[in-house]
Amino acid sequence: MNQATSTLRLLSVVMALSVTITFGGYSFADDDFEQKSAYGPIQKRGYELNHEVSLGWAYLPLDPYYKGYGASLSYTIHFGHLMALELFRVGFSWNTDTSLKTKLIDQMPNISPTEFPAVVFFENTNLVFKLLYGKQTFLNRAVLHYEIFVTAGAAFAFLNPFNVTELDMDNARYDMGVNGGVGFRFWLSPSWSIRVDLRDTVFLIELGSAGGDVQLDNSAEIGLAISADL
Amino acid sequence: MQSECCKLRPLVFAALVLACLVLPLGAFAEEDLDQGRIFSIQDRPYHMNHEFTLSFGFMPLDAFYKMFSVNGHYVVHFDELWAWEAVHLSFSKYLSIDTGLKGELDDRWDVQPTDPEEKRIDFTIDTNLMIKPMFGKAVLFDDSVIHSDTYFLVGLGAEKFETAWYPAIDFGVGIRIFIIDTISARLEVREYIHIGEEVGGTLVFGLGFSYNAFAEDNKVSAGSTTETREGQP
C-alpha cells in the first residue's frame, strides 16, 4: 500500500512537472510570438551617423521687408542613436527686398534703406535629439530609411541693410539669441543623406550696443542640405 | 630622375583619384549585399477606409497676420495607394493674430498700409487626389514602434478672402502616424495658389486627428511576417 502510494506520488510529481514545463513553455512561446507579431523582427539600424558634414540651401521667408536666399555649411557629431551636437552651422543670406520695403523707400523720402537690417551671416550651435528612426516602402518596391529630429541651441547673426557685396559697416548689427527647430533626413546611401530643416531663431540681445539692448526679433529658416557621413 | 618623377606624378594622382572613386563604391556594394541577404516582408497592419479628420492649421507667411484655421476633411481610401480627399473645408475667419507690422509702420514712419485686411482668408474649400506611395514603421526614442505613411495631395478649390472668392490649386505633402486601428494623426504642409487679379500663395501647416470609419472591413492580421532568403520563394 505504502509502495503504491509512493509510486503514485512520484508519478503525480512527474506529471505536475511535465505539465508545468509543457504549458509554461507554451506560454513563453505564445508571449514570444505575440511580441514578434506586434513589432516584427528586430533589425539593426541600416544607417548610422558619426561625423556629419552638410552643405545646403537656406531660405529665410518671414521678414516683411526682405526674403533671404543663401547657403549653409554644418558639422555635427553624433553620439548615439538619440543625441548629437551640431557644433556649428554657418551660412549667409542673399536678401531681396519685398514690395513693402520698395514701396516705403520709393514713396517716403524720409525713409532710408539703412533702416532695414537683414540677416547676412548666421551661426547656430545646437543639441540634436533624434526622435524617430524608421523605414518606409516606396510603391512596395524600394525601402527608404529616414529619421526625424528636433534641434535647440544658441544662435548668432550678423545683420546688415545691404548684401554681402556692398556691406555698410556703420549700420551693421551683431545679434545673439536662441533657436529651435525640427528636421527630417532620408538616406541615399550609408554615407549620403538629404536633410530638410525648419528653424526659428529669436534674437534676444544686440551685441555691442550700450548695455546690450534687449530686443525680440524673429527669423525663420527653411533649409535643404546634402550630408556626408565622414 | 626628377623628370621621371614628374612623369609619374600624374599617374599616381590618377591612381589615387581612381582609388577614391572605386573603393567607396565597393564598400557600398558590400553593405548592400549584407543587408540584402535576409529580408522579411510584412503585411500592412493598418488600412484606411472612410476617414474623417479634424485638423488645425497655421499660416505663417503673411506679413500682417499670422492666421490659424480649423479644418474638416473627408477622405475615401480606394486602396493602399490611392485615395480621394472629397471635401476639405477650412475656417479661418477671426482666427488671426496681428504681427504688429501695422503698428510699426505707423510708429516709425507714420504710414498706413493700403488694406492688409484684404489678404486675410476667411474660408477655403478644396478637393484633392491623394497618393500614398510610402508606408513604413519607425522606432520612437529607441523604445516603441510606430507605423506611418507618407502622402501627397494635389487638388482644386477656392479661397474666400475678405473681399472675394478666388479659384485656387493646391498641393501638399503629409505624414500619417497610426495610433490605433481607427485613430491616426496627420501632419502636413499645403501650398495654395490662388488666381485672381494677381497670383498669390498661402502656405499652411496642419496637424490633425483622423477617425477611420469601417476600419474592420480592411483589417489584416497585425504584424504577420514572412521571412525569406535570397533565391527562395
Side-chain angles (χ1 to χ4, degrees), chain B residues 45-199:
Chain B
Y46 299 102
H47 292 261
M48 299 299 291
N49 203 349
H50 290 269
E51 174 193 347
F52 297 89
T53 301
L54 180 67
S55 71
F56 302 94
F58 175 51
M59 291 163 262
L61 289 192
D62 190 89
F64 292 97
Y65 297 98
K66 300 298 168 206
M67 284 173 279
F68 297 88
S69 65
V70 180
N71 307 275
H73 316 239
Y74 168 63
V75 187
V76 191
H77 292 262
F78 302 121
D79 56 28
E80 289 179 350
L81 186 61
W82 294 100
W84 175 38
E85 190 177 61
V87 185
H88 168 223
L89 279 168
S90 172
F91 173 81
S92 48
K93 195 175 173 71
Y94 314 121
L95 302 175
S96 58
I97 296 173
D98 192 335
T99 58
L101 182 59
K102 271 193 298 183
E104 184 182 319
L105 292 173
D106 195 20
D107 293 346
R108 285 179 71 178
W109 302 295
D110 196 22
V111 292
Q112 310 290 328
T114 45
D115 196 357
E117 309 287 333
E118 282 183 11
K119 297 281 175 70
R120 280 163 81 169
I121 299 165
D122 290 345
F123 308 99
T124 305
I125 182 166
D126 51 279
T127 184
N128 296 285
L129 191 65
M130 181 187 267
I131 181 166
K132 308 169 285 181
M134 293 156 77
F135 182 92
K137 58 182 181 178
V139 59
L140 177 68
F141 296 121
D142 253 0
D143 185 52
S144 50
V145 172
I146 57 170
H147 289 81
S148 64
D149 73 16
T150 304
Y151 57 86
F152 298 88
L153 297 159
V154 59
L156 297 166
E159 285 186 297
K160 163 73 171 64
F161 288 81
E162 288 271 327
T163 48
W165 283 92
Y166 292 111
I169 55 169
D170 73 289
F171 50 89
V173 58
I175 186 165
R176 176 194 308 283
I177 293 170
F178 294 92
I179 300 167
I180 54 174
D181 277 353
T182 49
I183 306 289
S184 57
R186 275 171 66 167
L187 185 65
E188 63 183 31
V189 187
R190 291 183 196 224
E191 171 75 13
Y192 288 88
I193 297 169
H194 62 265
I195 302 135
E197 290 158 10
E198 56 183 31
V199 176

Side-chain angles (χ1 to χ4, degrees), chain A residues 45 115 131 133 136-137 139, chain B residues 109 133 135 139 141-142 150:
Chain A
R45 292 190 178 205
E115 294 181 57
L131 307 178
Y133 175 90
Q136 292 202 332
T137 61
L139 294 174
Chain B
W109 302 295
F135 182 92
V139 59
F141 296 121
D142 253 0
T150 304

Side-chain angles (χ1 to χ4, degrees), chain A residues 32-221:
Chain A
D32 197 22
F33 173 76
E34 275 179 12
Q35 212 170 1
K36 272 184 186 167
S37 66
Y39 293 134
I42 294 167
Q43 290 176 287
K44 279 178 71 179
R45 292 190 178 205
Y47 303 106
E48 301 207 34
L49 295 165
N50 289 309
H51 295 271
E52 177 196 353
V53 176
S54 298
L55 180 66
W57 169 81
Y59 174 48
L60 285 70
L62 272 198
D63 197 280
Y65 304 115
Y66 71 92
K67 304 294 169 200
Y69 303 87
S72 69
L73 175 74
S74 71
Y75 170 60
T76 310
I77 306 167
H78 293 261
F79 301 121
H81 287 171
L82 294 177
M83 293 280 293
L85 172 67
E86 187 181 68
L87 206 60
F88 64 82
R89 184 167 195 259
V90 291
F92 82 94
S93 171
W94 183 268
N95 300 312
T96 56
D97 296 346
T98 60
S99 59
L100 175 66
K101 182 179 167 185
T102 312
K103 275 182 197 166
L104 283 169
I105 292 169
D106 289 350
Q107 294 173 10
M108 308 292 292
N110 58 331
I111 298 179
S112 156
T114 58
E115 294 181 57
F116 303 94
V119 173
V120 176
F121 294 108
F122 57 87
E123 194 280 329
N124 298 166
T125 298
N126 285 311
L127 275 175
V128 182
F129 305 94
K130 299 181 272 186
L131 307 178
L132 268 178
Y133 175 90
K135 57 182 184 176
Q136 292 202 332
T137 61
F138 181 72
L139 294 174
N140 281 343
R141 286 178 191 199
V143 176
L144 183 85
H145 290 250
Y146 71 95
E147 75 175 11
I148 294 174
F149 52 87
V150 293
T151 58
F156 168 80
F158 169 75
L159 290 86
N160 202 283
F162 301 102
N163 275 318
V164 185
T165 49
E166 45 190 14
L167 292 175
D168 169 14
M169 296 311 287
D170 293 335
N171 290 291
R173 248 174 57 188
Y174 303 89
D175 286 3
M176 277 204 74
V178 291
N179 81 107
V182 60
F184 171 83
R185 173 202 310 282
F186 66 91
W187 274 268
L188 303 171
S189 76
S191 303
W192 296 93
S193 59
I194 301 280
R195 59 186 275 186
V196 180
D197 279 273
L198 222 64
R199 295 196 179 183
D200 192 59
T201 302
V202 179
F203 294 116
L204 302 169
I205 300 167
E206 183 184 335
L207 300 176
S209 63
D213 274 358
V214 176
Q215 54 166 359
L216 285 176
D217 202 356
N218 198 42
S219 174
E221 185 213 325

